[in-house]
Amino acid sequence: MPGPVRLAAQLVRSFGQFSLLTNVWTGVLFTLALFVSSWQGGVFGLLGAVVATATAYAVGVDRYIIDMGTQGFCGCLTGIALYVFLGPHPSTYLLTIGGAVVCVLAFAALTALVAPWRLPVLTAPFCVVVGAVLAAAPAFTRVWPGGSTAALPIAAAPGTAYTWTDLWHGFFANISQVGLSAHWYVGAIMLVGLFVGGIRYGLAAVAGSAVAVLLSWALGAPPAAVAAGVYGYNAVLVAVAMGGLFLARTVPNALYTLVAVAVTTVLTAALNAYFAPFGGRTLSWPFVITTWLFLAAAASFPRIRRIA
Amino acid sequence: MPGPVRLAAQLVRSFGQFSLLTNVWTGVLFTLALFVSSWQGGVFGLLGAVVATATAYAVGVDRYIIDMGTQGFCGCLTGIALYVFLGPHPSTYLLTIGGAVVCVLAFAALTALVAPWRLPVLTAPFCVVVGAVLAAAPAFTRVWPGGSTAALPIAAAPGTAYTWTDLWHGFFANISQVGLSAHWYVGAIMLVGLFVGGIRYGLAAVAGSAVAVLLSWALGAPPAAVAAGVYGYNAVLVAVAMGGLFLARTVPNALYTLVAVAVTTVLTAALNAYFAPFGGRTLSWPFVITTWLFLAAAASFPRIRRIA
Amino acid sequence: MPGPVRLAAQLVRSFGQFSLLTNVWTGVLFTLALFVSSWQGGVFGLLGAVVATATAYAVGVDRYIIDMGTQGFCGCLTGIALYVFLGPHPSTYLLTIGGAVVCVLAFAALTALVAPWRLPVLTAPFCVVVGAVLAAAPAFTRVWPGGSTAALPIAAAPGTAYTWTDLWHGFFANISQVGLSAHWYVGAIMLVGLFVGGIRYGLAAVAGSAVAVLLSWALGAPPAAVAAGVYGYNAVLVAVAMGGLFLARTVPNALYTLVAVAVTTVLTAALNAYFAPFGGRTLSWPFVITTWLFLAAAASFPRIRRIA
């Protein structure tokens, strides 16, 4: 049983792990940001983190690993996501508890599945668990009393003009959407958290978010979606993970990360279409898939050097 | 060329392998049950088993493996499934023959693909072959003369009350659906077959089916679907496979299996939505995916002990 | 920097690699055929090949590998496919350049991912890159100004009669569709290219295409689709790859390839349905998946002998 300080550190790190950082102050700022975004969402996140952390203790995960927040963050994200997509119903609490337990198992399973390629699981356990729950929800009247959200993907309507507000809101919302929030000020607090974790993480997030906004604008994505961060949170995650964590800080690696940021932005649109007809969700799959592909490819390129 | 007794044992074991058991009397009871459900379906199953077994001989599979029914059961399931979904047309006979041949190849291919993680193929070859044939069928007028079954998933309508009949029919139909039959008495005969195979398999099936019925009811699944076994056959398969075959009989393993049973029930609803828009079928994918994830995760947890 | 002759050989081999052949005269004939089909499409293909080849040099791929055209062909196919599906807009040029860069990375990534099973990547990098771009396109007004192409799959209408023209057009179009062209004379030129590459490649293509036409007709596929080569280009690719390249020339291997040709024809219809609701494309996924499954299975069968 961890002491209160140790437990508190584990829980705030579960929030900080949304962008794979272990710095406890990053965690504090991310926790603060997401409670500012919605105190109810924060409570759901905390519930998920507590249950996932307890599950990790119960199944005998190494305590040092639990301390890093790697066991709690998928449960934490699951709680927030279920609150956002299903609303604060009693059944959502129960699903958060169940989902957080399964997150720990999914983390172990996916770790084993990607082990042959020395790939990290990233946020894949969260994507698997929440994706399954949300696709299943309309079949169960006590979980989702309304109609199914499944629909054929529709094309963006041309002719809508961008405003400056769209662009700078999008820049910050790309960061806040890492915690499933669309508020620009939440993104601003989280960006401070990233800089506190390390200058390079903050710079990577700034670059990733800016490239995503510019590319979405250049390709003609709908302004409202860009302003809400829809096309950029995966870019932020890719930039922080590849630019900050997994690759050495060299010019070729920075260019490589930039290509990955562009790829994940387009992939976000592709996966939005993919998940629409059956009511699944894109979540951070574009980040997961892009990072897996680019890390798997890296071993073939002598100029790209992986450090983690 | 096998003698008639050996061949008969291979064929009835192909039926018994629906729930991964090799006991020949389990096979006899499963065969009986599925002929009781529909003699035409039984004939299609037998045809699939004969063709798959002959294919296995032709490609030089070890005879001991063929004796266990592992080569025949996917062809057998394919025959029954094509009869159920396409009807007893002449083209269905030809597709059963072709599908049974491909099942043996798919079994070998998938065995190789999951080998790095020491995972069993379970019913995946059947799911792959039948899923592809059914998704393809509407493109071919001689295979499927009607309209496509593809449709967006719809939400369950609230307000329908459960009856006791729904619950106990569902309990047995969860078992009969392992052989794609919705008749409760077919499930009852198959349950006897499971107990004949071993007390623990019968108990696992009882527990898995009961949990699936209760969970579906608690979540608010449509009563008619629960009564038809739609939400529970994967739970029965997971319970028998993990609770009876792959994990040692300990309390932590039983709890672990229970979580897997709950997960596969929710995953069934998610995959029903996933397959709807393109006319694929859920089949026993939820069982396959859940068991793969939980067995892959098991290696990380010292308290979970795998025995097969 | 390669000399002009070496570069020209690399580029025409990028076209010849559409069916995995490295013979430079096959490449010349394929290049000719695709410029005959559409000079604009040829230009897009050339642009993709140039960019992909340059990218391969930039990231330090071994020059001998680049000489074989293996680095250029996915970019080349990507250029042609984006021209065919998106039209010759300025944005299509930019997407071809970006897509060709990503093809080289995807080639390396997928090579690593299938390495544990000793499988070749085949055309998978092309399928991944173009599939993602086309599914994403409707979200971006500057890429795709029209409505989304996503739609539920529809069943083939019965009652349409085949003509001889449908059959022989289909026979050649099955070959031309390897380069995304539906003109029978393009297929005829490419067939000459295959025979120039080696008698066995030409014979394999003839057999694969004929079986696909006959099977599609027997199953009742729509005549117009068969005449356009929709159901047969994967069969041609499977026949050339398995019958010509990867398996030794023996009778069991020929039968094995024949089964694979039939499987990929049915799988084409299944994947057409799979990709329809979200606006993805089948491309040569049926070839990739079928060849992977049959090569992975081959190791289990003593009578099937792999040579590459």
Side-chain angles (χ1 to χ4, degrees):
Chain A
M1 192 58 200
V5 173
R6 189 173 188 177
L7 179 61
Q10 289 169 348
L11 295 180
V12 297
R13 278 207 184 96
S14 296
F15 284 86
Q17 280 279 1
F18 286 10
S19 58
L20 310 183
L21 300 193
T22 53
N23 184 298
V24 75
W25 297 109
T26 303
V28 168
L29 281 157
F30 273 39
T31 310
L32 173 70
L34 291 166
F35 269 90
V36 165
S37 174
S38 151
W39 69 265
Q40 276 190 306
V43 168
F44 271 96
L46 210 50
L47 174 64
V50 167
V51 172
T53 302
T55 305
Y57 272 102
V59 295
V61 174
D62 186 279
R63 267 143 211 247
Y64 175 73
I65 291 173
I66 297 177
D67 281 346
M68 291 300 103
T70 53
Q71 297 299 305
F73 88 102
C74 281
C76 185
L77 267 171
T78 296
I80 294 175
L82 294 181
Y83 162 72
V84 167
F85 291 115
L86 299 177
H89 306 300
S91 63
T92 308
Y93 284 97
L94 294 174
L95 284 172
T96 296
I97 293 170
V101 170
V102 177
C103 274
V104 174
L105 308 179
F107 191 94
L110 292 169
T111 300
L113 292 181
V114 297
W117 302 279
R118 294 183 51 243
L119 293 173
V121 287
L122 307 170
T123 54
F126 153 70
C127 294
V128 167
V129 171
V130 170
V133 169
L134 293 177
F140 300 123
T141 55
R142 293 227 177 84
V143 176
W144 181 252
S148 171
T149 60
L152 292 177
I154 52 167
T160 325
Y162 275 78
T163 65
W164 276 110
T165 312
D166 292 330
L167 297 179
W168 74 262
H169 269 204
F171 173 80
F172 287 110
N174 287 345
I175 298 164
S176 60
Q177 284 287 11
V178 168
L180 290 102
S181 164
H183 299 302
W184 68 266
Y185 47 87
V186 174
I189 304 174
M190 289 170 74
L191 183 56
V192 174
L194 287 163
F195 272 108
V196 167
I199 300 288
R200 66 182 175 285
Y201 304 125
L203 291 178
V206 166
S209 184
V211 168
V213 165
L214 291 175
L215 184 61
S216 309
W217 164 79
L219 292 169
V226 172
V230 168
Y231 287 109
Y233 61 97
N234 286 288
V236 168
L237 286 166
V238 164
V240 172
M242 286 180 52
L245 281 165
F246 293 113
L247 301 182
R249 271 166 289 164
T250 68
V251 171
N253 286 354
L255 288 172
Y256 194 66
T257 302
L258 215 66
V259 174
V261 164
V263 164
T264 210
T265 305
V266 174
L267 190 56
T268 300
L271 292 182
N272 283 346
Y274 177 77
F275 286 109
F278 66 94
R281 306 288 160 146
T282 303
L283 304 173
S284 39
W285 275 122
F287 155 58
V288 171
I289 294 170
T290 304
T291 307
W292 280 351
L293 287 179
F294 276 74
L295 290 183
S300 304
F301 304 135
R303 281 174 202 151
I304 307 300
R305 199 152 58 80
R306 191 169 157 186
I307 52 174
Chain B
M1 194 56 201
V5 173
R6 188 173 190 178
L7 178 61
Q10 289 169 348
L11 295 180
V12 297
R13 279 208 184 96
S14 295
F15 284 86
Q17 280 279 1
F18 286 10
S19 58
L20 310 183
L21 300 194
T22 53
N23 184 298
V24 75
W25 298 109
T26 303
V28 169
L29 282 157
F30 273 39
T31 310
L32 173 71
L34 291 165
F35 269 90
V36 165
S37 174
S38 151
W39 69 266
Q40 276 191 306
V43 168
F44 271 96
L46 211 50
L47 174 64
V50 168
V51 172
T53 302
T55 305
Y57 272 102
V59 295
V61 174
D62 186 278
R63 267 145 210 247
Y64 175 73
I65 291 173
I66 297 176
D67 281 346
M68 291 300 103
T70 53
Q71 296 299 305
F73 87 102
C74 281
C76 185
L77 267 171
T78 296
I80 294 175
L82 294 182
Y83 162 72
V84 167
F85 291 116
L86 299 177
H89 306 301
S91 63
T92 308
Y93 285 97
L94 294 174
L95 284 172
T96 296
I97 293 170
V101 170
V102 177
C103 274
V104 174
L105 308 179
F107 190 95
L110 292 169
T111 300
L113 292 181
V114 297
W117 302 279
R118 294 183 51 244
L119 293 173
V121 287
L122 306 170
T123 55
F126 153 70
C127 294
V128 167
V129 171
V130 170
V133 169
L134 293 177
F140 301 123
T141 55
R142 293 227 177 83
V143 176
W144 181 253
S148 171
T149 59
L152 291 177
I154 52 168
T160 325
Y162 275 78
T163 65
W164 275 110
T165 313
D166 292 330
L167 297 180
W168 74 263
H169 270 203
F171 173 80
F172 287 110
N174 287 345
I175 298 164
S176 61
Q177 284 286 11
V178 168
L180 290 102
S181 164
H183 299 302
W184 68 266
Y185 46 87
V186 174
I189 304 174
M190 289 171 74
L191 183 56
V192 175
L194 287 164
F195 272 108
V196 167
I199 300 288
R200 67 181 175 286
Y201 304 125
L203 291 178
V206 166
S209 184
V211 168
V213 165
L214 291 175
L215 184 60
S216 310
W217 163 79
L219 291 168
V226 172
V230 168
Y231 287 109
Y233 61 97
N234 286 288
V236 168
L237 286 166
V238 164
V240 172
M242 286 180 51
L245 281 164
F246 293 113
L247 301 182
R249 271 166 289 165
T250 68
V251 172
N253 286 354
L255 288 172
Y256 194 66
T257 302
L258 214 66
V259 175
V261 164
V263 164
T264 209
T265 304
V266 174
L267 190 56
T268 299
L271 292 182
N272 283 346
Y274 178 77
F275 286 109
F278 66 94
R281 306 289 159 145
T282 303
L283 304 172
S284 39
W285 275 122
F287 155 58
V288 171
I289 294 171
T290 304
T291 307
W292 281 350
L293 287 179
F294 276 74
L295 289 183
S300 304
F301 304 135
R303 281 173 203 152
I304 307 300
R305 199 153 57 80
R306 191 168 157 186
I307 53 174
Chain C
M1 193 57 200
V5 173
R6 188 173 189 177
L7 179 61
Q10 289 169 348
L11 295 180
V12 298
R13 278 208 184 95
S14 296
F15 284 86
Q17 280 280 0
F18 286 10
S19 58
L20 310 183
L21 300 194
T22 53
N23 183 298
V24 75
W25 298 109
T26 303
V28 168
L29 282 157
F30 273 39
T31 310
L32 173 70
L34 291 165
F35 269 90
V36 165
S37 175
S38 151
W39 69 265
Q40 276 190 306
V43 168
F44 271 95
L46 210 51
L47 174 64
V50 167
V51 172
T53 302
T55 305
Y57 272 101
V59 295
V61 173
D62 186 278
R63 267 143 211 248
Y64 175 73
I65 291 173
I66 297 177
D67 281 346
M68 291 301 103
T70 53
Q71 296 299 305
F73 88 102
C74 281
C76 185
L77 267 171
T78 296
I80 294 175
L82 294 181
Y83 162 72
V84 167
F85 291 116
L86 299 177
H89 306 300
S91 63
T92 308
Y93 284 97
L94 294 174
L95 284 172
T96 295
I97 293 170
V101 170
V102 177
C103 273
V104 174
L105 308 179
F107 191 94
L110 291 169
T111 300
L113 292 182
V114 298
W117 301 279
R118 294 182 51 243
L119 293 172
V121 287
L122 307 170
T123 54
F126 153 69
C127 294
V128 167
V129 171
V130 170
V133 169
L134 293 177
F140 300 123
T141 55
R142 293 226 177 85
V143 176
W144 181 252
S148 171
T149 59
L152 291 177
I154 53 168
T160 324
Y162 275 78
T163 66
W164 275 110
T165 313
D166 292 330
L167 297 180
W168 73 262
H169 269 203
F171 173 80
F172 287 110
N174 287 344
I175 298 165
S176 60
Q177 284 287 11
V178 168
L180 290 103
S181 164
H183 300 302
W184 68 267
Y185 47 87
V186 174
I189 304 174
M190 289 170 74
L191 183 55
V192 174
L194 287 164
F195 272 108
V196 167
I199 300 288
R200 66 181 175 286
Y201 304 125
L203 291 178
V206 166
S209 184
V211 168
V213 165
L214 291 175
L215 184 60
S216 309
W217 164 79
L219 292 168
V226 172
V230 168
Y231 288 109
Y233 61 97
N234 286 288
V236 168
L237 286 166
V238 164
V240 172
M242 285 179 53
L245 281 164
F246 293 113
L247 301 182
R249 272 166 288 165
T250 68
V251 171
N253 286 354
L255 288 171
Y256 194 66
T257 302
L258 215 66
V259 175
V261 163
V263 164
T264 209
T265 305
V266 174
L267 190 56
T268 299
L271 292 182
N272 284 345
Y274 178 76
F275 286 109
F278 66 93
R281 306 289 160 146
T282 303
L283 304 172
S284 39
W285 275 122
F287 155 58
V288 171
I289 294 171
T290 304
T291 307
W292 280 351
L293 287 179
F294 276 74
L295 290 183
S300 303
F301 304 135
R303 281 173 203 153
I304 307 300
R305 199 153 57 80
R306 191 169 158 186
I307 53 174

